[in-house]
Amino acid sequence: MISYKELGLVNSREMFSRAVKGGYAIPAFNFNNMEQLQAIIKAASETKSPVILQVSKGARSYANETLLRYLAQGAVAYAKELGCKAPEIVLHLDHGDSFETCKSCIDSGFSSVMIDGSHLPYDENVALTKKVVEYAHQFDVTVEGELGVLAGVEDDVVAEVSHYTKPEEVIDFVTKTGCDSLAISIGTSHGAYKFTPEQCTRDPKTGLLVPPPLAFDILDAIMEKLPGFPIVLHGASSVPQEYVKIINENGGKLPDAVGIPEEQLRKASASAVCKINIDSDSRLAFTAAVRKVFTETPGEFDPRKYCGPARSLMEELYKHKIVNVLGSDGKLAEV
C-alpha cells in the first residue's frame, strides 16, 4: 500500500470546495505520455492553477503502473522546480470499470478515483459506487461517481447513445453512495466526433458544424437538488478547428469533427461544475504538431524534433483552457 501523500499529491476535496464557492472549474487533463505530463505541469505551474492528472485504465496499462507512480511523484517535484511552492496535483483514475481497478489504483498511490457504474442498472451502480467509496475513504482518497451515460468513444468507454442524468435520482444516489463528486450527462460526449452532422446546424459562412447547446436546464435542476455539491463534466473537449485544419492539411482525415463550444464551458465553470475533463483536445494538438513536422521535414526521425513541438502546442492549449475557459489560474491555496 502506497499513500498518495508520500508522493506529494493531494485529493480533490478542498480544491473542489474552493472551486464551487469561487465559480471556476479545476482542469482535469488526461495524459498518456511524458510530453503531455510535462506540458500539463508547466502550464498549471506557470498559471498557478490546481490540476488533476487523469489516467484511464488503458493509459495506466500503457504507461506501466510502477512508472506512473514515479511520474506522478516527479510531477510534484517538477512543479516545485518551476517555482510553484505548494503545487496541488491530483492523480485520478478516469472511468474506473470495477472495484478491483479502483482498489489497485488506490493501493498504488492514486489520490482520487472514478467508479463508472453508469451503464449498470441504478441499484447496481449505487452498490458498486458505495463499495468503492467505503474502501477509498479509509485512505482519504476521494471518489467520483456517475449518473447518466455519455455517448462517444474514449479508450475502453464506448456508448452509442447518451442518456441525460435524471435530476430526481441525484439526492438518493449521493446519499446512498457517499461519493465526493458526481459526473453528469447534459449533452457532452467523448471523442473528437461529439455530434453527428444530423444533430448540428452548419454555419453558412464557414461551412463548419454548429453543435446543439448543452442541457443547462438539467444542470440547474441538479444544482437545485444538490446545492454546493461538486459536479463533473466529462467529454468537454472543444475540438479546436485550427488543429483539425492542420491535421487535415497534412494527411489526416477528420471530416466534421466537432466539440463543445468554449462559451458553454465557461458558463458551466461558473456554476457548481468544479471539474471539467479534457482529453481529445490535447490529442489533436499533439497530432497536429507531429503531422506538420513530418510534412515539412519528411526526413526527420529524431522523436525530440516532433515531440518537442507537440509538447509546446499542448502547453499553449492547457494554458488557454486554464485562463480563458475554466478560470482556475491563480487559485492555488498558497500562490
Side-chain angles (χ1 to χ4, degrees), residues 153-188:
V153 178
E154 181 182 42
D155 288 352
D156 299 325
V157 182
V158 180
E160 292 184 4
V161 181
S162 65
H163 300 283
Y164 285 170
T165 302
K166 298 176 182 177
E168 62 271 21
E169 292 181 343
V170 297
I171 295 176
D172 184 69
F173 184 85
V174 167
T175 302
K176 286 181 177 176
T177 63
C179 65
D180 301 285
S181 60
L182 181 65
I184 63 170
S185 174
I186 59 168
T188 56

Side-chain angles (χ1 to χ4, degrees), residues 19-73:
V20 172
K21 292 173 185 173
Y24 60 91
I26 307 297
F29 297 131
N30 288 68
F31 80 100
N32 301 278
N33 58 31
M34 183 185 73
E35 286 79 14
Q36 283 179 307
L37 180 60
Q38 288 173 315
I40 292 168
I41 296 304
K42 196 153 183 247
S45 297
E46 292 185 2
T47 59
K48 305 299 181 190
S49 172
V51 71
I52 296 170
L53 301 174
Q54 290 204 150
V55 182
S56 66
K57 181 182 176 182
R60 185 175 182 235
S61 175
Y62 178 82
N64 176 269
E65 61 184 72
T66 303
L67 285 174
L68 184 61
R69 180 171 76 245
Y70 288 108
L71 283 172
Q73 187 173 29

Side-chain angles (χ1 to χ4, degrees), residues 68-127:
L68 184 61
R69 180 171 76 245
Y70 288 108
L71 283 172
Q73 187 173 29
V76 175
Y78 182 39
K80 291 179 179 178
E81 195 177 283
L82 290 169
C84 190
K85 295 179 182 178
E88 295 178 49
I89 300 173
V90 173
L91 181 61
H92 175 77
L93 170 66
D94 190 23
H95 288 288
D97 61 347
S98 67
F99 171 78
E100 290 73 23
T101 297
C102 291
K103 180 181 183 299
S104 175
C105 288
I106 292 164
D107 292 349
S108 65
F110 279 62
S111 58
S112 178
V113 295
M114 179 205 185
I115 177 63
D116 183 359
S118 62
H119 58 288
L120 298 171
Y122 179 78
D123 288 342
E124 291 181 30
N125 186 3
V126 168

